[in-house]
Amino acid sequence: MSPDPLVLRNARLPGSDELTDVEIVDGTVTRLGFLGGEGGMGGDGPAVESIDLGERWLIPGLWDNHVHFTQWAQIARRLDVSTAGSAAEAARIVAGRIPLLTTGETLIGFGFRDGLWPDAPGRAVLDAVSGTVPVVLVSGDLHSVWLNSAALAARGLGDHPTGLLREEDAFAVERALDAVPDAISDTWADEAARVAAARVVVGIVDLEMVWNLDVWRRRIAAGTDSLRVEFGIYTEHLERAVAEGLRSGAVIDGTGGQLSVGPYKVITDGSLNTRTAYCFDDYPGLTGADANGVLSVTPDDLLRWMRLASESGIHPAVHAIGDRANRIALDAFETLGCAGSIEHAQLLSHADVDRFAALGVVASVQPEHAVDDRDVADRYWAGRTDRAFMLASLLRAGARLALGSDAPVAPLDPWVGIAAAVGRTRDGREAWHPEQGVSRQAALAASARGRHRVAVGDPADLAVCETDPFVASLDDLRRMNVAATLLGGRFTHRAL
């Protein structure tokens, strides 16, 4: 059922002090301008609710184009080890939590980044503080997990030499950690969706590694109504999706238009912090077969799965972080001539930048990763960091950007990503490669499906801000004060 007609009065649009009224009918913006009449549309329409925005700024609602939503919803329940500057320090944080656990409980932590640590994470380091309590720590980039001996034994990995698992081995552990009872997981997800709406999020592309159709259909049926969701499909579920006739963009019946089919997600390589992003050059200090990273799928298999998806109407979304992985992904798109995206596009060759626009491949990027990874990049990609997170270069080449968080890798808060895309900094540090910063308008559009201003005919997925995002300082962007969020003309957050 569509919400009742609504008029938002005395709104400002970004970049302008001129006031306007906005008429919303059947979940769509139908008129802009001075509408007149205290309670009607120009005085000649049906009585409608009229809300005075008090000269606040009205913008399109924002999307997070890359999240792992169930994991994001669980993060608040896990031990934060993100501040650890060494394996020993991480172990001390674990030691402080051990006495608070109940008998039989596994300690789950999140956020370690070992790329710059002076010591290596190993099972013995955790064993020394945990005893028989199973401990599983998930890295901040999700591409590795660190287990003690008790946790390894519980998973049949008792003979693992280090306890540090990477890539697919790590993903298998993470999937097992997500096995929370549906009723509990769905409650956490509903809470997380409401928090996201309070940060002006109206939609997400959920790339959780499960069959997400059933998950989100269940959550929406139970009353989770704060977000639109496009759910991703992984290789292990692709043939099932094809058999069920799913196509990217198709709305799922019975979900009130909230749930639709997203892309086919395929992972080609790892991450920079884990030193598994697949690059042309070796990482300093590494030798052996994986010295230049990990290729998770062969080019032939990548083509085979992407062809099946694209010919079935499911757009490929290819995870590629290293410059060599991005080359392989772009080559596959060129061979197939299909639409889709590269997720992350973090490290690129100059020769490949123009190919995004020429091939119509969306660069689905996470700007806060540039702030998180700058020191790791300076160590492991020294002399090449002008080719890292090339947002401005991609825009100049005519590529389309789509901003996201990769939550829980970064917070599910589009203002954090927008501030990072514009300023390339955080916490008062000097901007890192500021030449790759983009305008506020471009960052907003990349977070709002190409829109940076409200227009007639738009879905009434809107947000009301206390500050003009086109002129806000970087600090004000990052902590943007939000007054309201609307989804299809219905308030999902309201502090007016």
Side-chain angles (χ1 to χ4, degrees):
M1 179 181 296
S2 296
D4 293 334
L6 175 67
V7 172
L8 303 176
R9 299 193 181 277
N10 294 317
R12 294 179 181 177
L13 302 183
S16 172
D17 287 331
E18 184 176 345
L19 297 178
T20 188
D21 299 335
V22 180
E23 176 188 272
I24 299 170
V25 178
D26 293 333
T28 301
V29 175
T30 50
R31 280 198 285 179
L32 292 172
F34 178 66
L35 301 181
E38 186 63 26
M41 294 176 264
D44 58 3
V48 297
E49 183 179 6
S50 177
I51 297 175
D52 191 337
L53 296 188
E55 302 186 8
R56 295 176 176 87
W57 280 266
L58 185 70
I59 65 169
L62 306 185
W63 278 72
D64 191 315
N65 292 289
H66 188 128
V67 304
H68 304 274
F69 198 80
T70 298
Q71 292 184 71
W72 170 246
Q74 292 176 352
I75 285 302
R77 284 87 184 170
R78 294 180 175 178
L79 177 66
D80 184 358
V81 294
S82 62
T83 60
S86 66
E89 187 176 352
R92 285 194 293 272
I93 296 172
V94 168
R97 177 61 66 89
I98 293 290
L100 305 179
L101 300 179
T102 59
T103 301
E105 185 178 357
T106 295
L107 191 158
I108 303 173
F110 176 79
F112 79 88
R113 296 176 183 271
D114 64 321
L116 301 176
W117 284 0
D119 53 355
R123 59 192 294 173
V125 180
L126 290 179
D127 288 349
V129 299
S130 60
T132 60
V133 175
V135 176
V136 180
L137 303 183
V138 180
S139 68
D141 60 18
L142 303 178
H143 283 260
S144 62
V145 293
W146 177 18
L147 289 75
N148 70 348
S149 294
L152 287 166
R155 288 162 174 78
L157 301 170
D159 59 350
H160 194 279
T162 67
L164 186 67
L165 282 60
R166 304 189 306 167
E167 300 309 322
E168 185 52 46
D169 291 338
F171 299 152
V173 173
E174 290 167 22
R175 284 192 289 268
L177 294 179
D178 291 345
V180 176
D182 291 345
I184 296 174
S185 179
D186 291 353
T187 297
W188 294 348
D190 185 67
E191 292 172 0
R194 294 177 189 278
V195 171
R199 299 305 295 153
V200 310
V201 178
V202 296
I204 60 170
V205 180
D206 187 11
L207 299 176
E208 201 67 82
M209 297 182 185
V210 296
W211 178 247
N212 257 320
L213 170 58
D214 294 343
V215 171
W216 279 105
R217 190 151 45 190
R218 183 185 69 240
R219 288 172 178 171
I220 292 169
T224 296
D225 62 357
S226 302
L227 303 172
R228 301 191 192 278
V229 178
E230 295 178 359
F231 65 90
I233 299 160
Y234 280 78
T235 299
E236 57 265 39
H237 302 125
L238 181 57
E239 291 179 335
R240 175 181 179 180
V242 171
E244 293 190 14
L246 301 183
R247 301 176 68 86
S248 294
V251 177
I252 300 301
D253 291 341
T255 64
Q258 275 186 250
L259 183 62
S260 57
V261 183
Y264 159 57
K265 172 73 179 297
V266 55
I267 298 174
T268 68
D269 70 341
S271 71
L272 181 59
N273 183 75
T274 303
R275 281 83 73 203
T276 49
Y278 193 56
C279 299
F280 286 107
D281 300 304
D282 290 352
Y283 290 96
L286 295 188
T287 59
D290 294 339
N292 65 330
V294 174
L295 187 64
S296 302
V297 59
T298 68
D300 286 344
D301 283 344
L302 179 65
L303 269 175
R304 178 166 60 91
W305 290 114
M306 285 177 63
R307 178 176 286 111
L308 174 60
S310 61
E311 291 180 350
S312 303
I314 304 174
H315 296 160
V318 183
H319 166 115
I321 289 183
D323 53 358
R324 193 168 183 181
N326 274 276
R327 174 75 55 83
I328 290 169
L330 288 167
D331 287 348
F333 277 111
E334 185 169 13
T335 297
L336 296 173
C338 66
S341 65
I342 290 183
E343 302 297 315
H344 308 303
Q346 185 169 327
L347 311 173
L348 300 175
S349 299
H350 287 297
D352 285 330
V353 172
D354 289 344
R355 299 179 71 195
F356 281 82
L359 298 173
V361 175
V362 175
S364 179
V365 296
Q366 300 75 41
E368 184 72 351
H369 291 5
V371 182
D372 288 333
D373 284 0
R374 59 185 292 176
D375 296 324
V376 171
D378 284 340
R379 172 175 293 187
Y380 294 106
W381 245 56
R384 292 167 283 165
T385 54
D386 62 312
R387 298 193 279 117
F389 302 95
M390 300 175 71
L391 307 192
S393 293
L394 286 163
L395 277 180
R396 283 194 298 270
R400 178 186 157 200
L401 296 185
L403 301 194
S405 65
D406 201 13
V409 181
L412 203 170
D413 184 340
W415 299 111
V416 168
I418 288 172
V422 172
R424 308 277 294 195
T425 187
R426 184 182 67 212
D427 300 329
R429 295 187 69 179
E430 182 180 358
W432 188 65
H433 289 288
E435 74 277 4
Q436 291 297 340
V438 302
S439 71
R440 289 159 173 77
Q441 291 89 337
L444 192 69
S447 298
R449 299 288 167 101
R451 303 184 297 153
H452 61 71
R453 288 173 69 91
V454 176
V456 171
D458 285 350
D461 297 350
L462 306 170
V464 183
C465 301
E466 300 286 357
T467 306
D468 183 351
F470 283 9
V471 299
S473 69
L474 291 178
D475 285 343
D476 285 343
L477 274 177
R478 189 171 280 270
R479 61 174 182 245
M480 178 63 72
N481 193 346
V482 177
T485 308
L486 298 93
L487 189 71
R490 169 179 56 84
F491 283 98
T492 55
H493 168 72
R494 184 172 178 179
L496 291 169

